Amino acid sequence: MRYYNPWQALLSKIKTAGGFVNAHAHFDRAYTVNQDNMDGVVYDHLYCKWLYIDNYKESATMNDYCKNIQTALFNQKDMGVTSCLSFIDMDSIVGLKALRAAKLAKDYAKGIGIDFKIATQTLKGVVSPYERVYLDMALDTGAIDIIGSLPAADRGLEGSHLDIIFEMAKRYKKRIHAHVDQLNTAAEKETELLARKTMKHGYEGMVTAVHSISIAAHNADYRSEVYKMAKDAGLSFITCPTAWIDSRRTEINSPTHNSITPVDELLEHDLIVAIGSDNIHDVYKPYSTGDMRTELKFLLEATHIYDQEALVKIATENGLKVIGSYHDRDRGTSKS
Ligand SMILES: [Zn+2]
């Protein structure tokens, strides 16, 4: 008698449902780790790595960026991904050369049969008018599908950062994806801030929180309040399981949890969750291959979610919803 292999059964259901959707990545810096910069990547904090990447952004040519993005797209396709969204760096260091490369890669993606969308990554923040101008120019190119946000890039001014992002999103009628609560600490309350700003700006249903790991470091009452607020704001979520599973040990007490978006609780509150690879072979995650099968496996093991129907939705349909590609094929109309 053949034994039942739930993992193979799950993968086959995902294939039948149209293939993986990688809802969060940074293809422009994929494959940029090398033997020289490997030395510094082991112990440095995230915020130091943001500076590291400046060296690459300064020296890389548009051709280098084309190569990174196209190689990532080719490999994603090879690993069963049919739709994906990549953040692309744009600021005073890199200018728009990575974006121009990503725009060209859209044609390449179409050619190999993969739906490729672009979000803005502004590592230098958006509060400074000197940096914000790059976001304005990027939006004017018409290549941007989603406005990306990184409130921590404007440390101490996270609220102002989000106000600027919401105003731009409303002006250009774009969805927002914001990196929030990345550091697995109760000191962060960025998902709450994002939900409040969404409601303040009347942008319910148009905003996705990327990571939201620090929710898990708070007590049950706070978590429950955040989930209710997220529901009211129509906030959706993207988890990138291997990205933060390496969160460092500290002596700070918090509820026992794995360092991952609390997807089990998000699902209990009927919130939409999608999944992404985040970084691929760069200084942030030198060993990460971007294989969505690895991401899904980490998610189900770290959160104890065994419900295959829920996992298939996370890997496919929910990804399409958050990247704005979910179409009712029968009627040919967009649902999101
Ligand atoms: Zn990211």
Side-chain angles (χ1 to χ4, degrees):
M1 200 168 73
R2 282 183 64 181
Y3 76 100
Y4 174 59
N5 180 334
W7 177 240
Q8 287 307 328
L10 176 59
L11 291 180
S12 135
K13 284 179 190 171
I14 288 168
K15 202 171 176 190
T16 307
F20 276 102
V21 178
N22 183 353
H24 185 79
H26 295 268
F27 291 160
D28 51 342
R29 330 168 182 143
Y31 317 108
T32 54
V33 74
N34 56 47
Q35 280 173 314
D36 296 331
N37 62 26
M38 255 308 268
D39 289 343
V41 303
V42 183
Y43 297 108
D44 282 342
H45 187 275
L46 169 71
Y47 297 161
C48 293
K49 291 183 184 178
W50 287 352
L51 296 176
Y52 257 153
I53 208 83
D54 279 350
N55 296 333
Y56 181 79
K57 281 154 58 178
E58 212 158 19
S59 59
T61 63
M62 206 179 104
N63 272 349
D64 293 328
Y65 277 116
C66 281
K67 211 166 101 192
N68 300 345
I69 298 167
Q70 293 189 8
T71 307
L73 285 164
F74 179 85
N75 288 337
Q76 288 286 293
K77 176 75 182 170
D78 197 43
M79 292 185 283
V81 171
T82 48
S83 286
C84 53
L85 171 81
S86 177
F87 275 55
I88 300 291
D89 289 329
M90 51 201 71
D91 52 45
S92 56
I93 306 286
V94 67
L96 296 186
K97 66 186 168 190
L99 176 63
R100 291 198 186 99
K103 197 177 174 189
L104 287 176
K106 279 195 171 190
D107 287 335
Y108 172 79
K110 206 178 278 174
I112 61 167
I114 185 166
D115 170 34
F116 172 48
K117 295 208 159 176
I118 298 173
T120 55
Q121 173 75 334
T122 46
L123 276 173
K124 304 290 175 193
V126 294
V127 172
S128 151
Y130 177 67
E131 292 295 339
R132 192 161 66 237
V133 71
Y134 292 93
L135 184 54
D136 280 321
M137 289 192 295
L139 283 158
D140 285 340
T141 65
I144 304 302
D145 299 294
I146 287 187
I147 300 194
S149 157
L150 181 63
D154 282 308
R155 233 172 308 165
L157 298 168
E158 290 86 349
S160 310
H161 171 107
L162 285 172
D163 285 332
I164 290 165
I165 292 289
F166 274 96
E167 289 305 331
M168 282 191 159
K170 286 190 279 187
R171 196 178 334 138
Y172 287 89
K173 297 186 173 53
K174 301 288 182 193
R175 300 180 64 88
I176 295 171
H177 283 201
H179 292 87
V180 287
D181 283 344
Q182 303 192 73
L183 301 180
N184 193 27
T185 163
E188 287 187 323
K189 291 184 170 179
E190 292 176 345
T191 307
E192 177 193 343
L193 178 67
L194 184 63
R196 287 188 190 281
K197 290 289 186 187
T198 302
M199 292 185 277
K200 180 190 147 194
H201 286 274
Y203 222 48
E204 287 90 344
M206 292 291 281
V207 182
T208 300
V210 184
H211 299 308
S212 288
I213 292 157
S214 296
I215 299 173
H218 287 269
N219 65 39
D221 286 345
Y222 178 81
R223 298 201 302 277
S224 165
E225 277 309 303
V226 171
Y227 300 143
K228 278 187 216 145
M229 215 181 280
K231 190 77 193 155
D232 289 344
L235 211 62
S236 46
F237 293 82
I238 298 171
T239 181
C240 302
T242 65
W244 289 101
I245 206 78
D246 58 357
S247 171
R248 310 319 297 258
R249 180 182 299 111
T250 75
E251 298 306 314
I252 301 166
N253 290 324
S254 75
T256 308
H257 64 282
N258 290 324
S259 177
I260 191 166
T261 317
V263 177
D264 50 334
E265 293 189 337
L266 294 175
L267 296 183
E268 280 166 24
H269 286 80
D270 199 25
L271 290 157
I272 290 176
V273 181
I275 188 166
S277 67
D278 216 350
N279 305 82
I280 300 172
H281 293 308
D282 62 14
V283 295
Y284 300 91
K285 297 295 291 185
Y287 289 92
S288 177
T289 60
D291 191 331
M292 296 307 295
R293 291 166 292 198
T294 305
E295 298 303 327
L296 192 68
K297 189 68 162 45
F298 265 76
L299 172 67
L300 73 88
E301 297 294 7
T303 57
H304 204 99
I305 297 170
Y306 290 172
D307 176 347
Q308 294 209 347
E309 203 182 312
L311 291 167
V312 171
K313 267 190 159 183
I314 288 170
T316 61
E317 183 183 314
N318 290 356
L320 294 177
K321 282 181 179 165
V322 303
I323 70 170
S325 292
Y326 185 58
H327 301 291
D328 180 341
R329 291 192 177 104
D330 292 336
R331 286 178 295 165
T333 53
S334 175
K335 278 185 180 170
S336 57

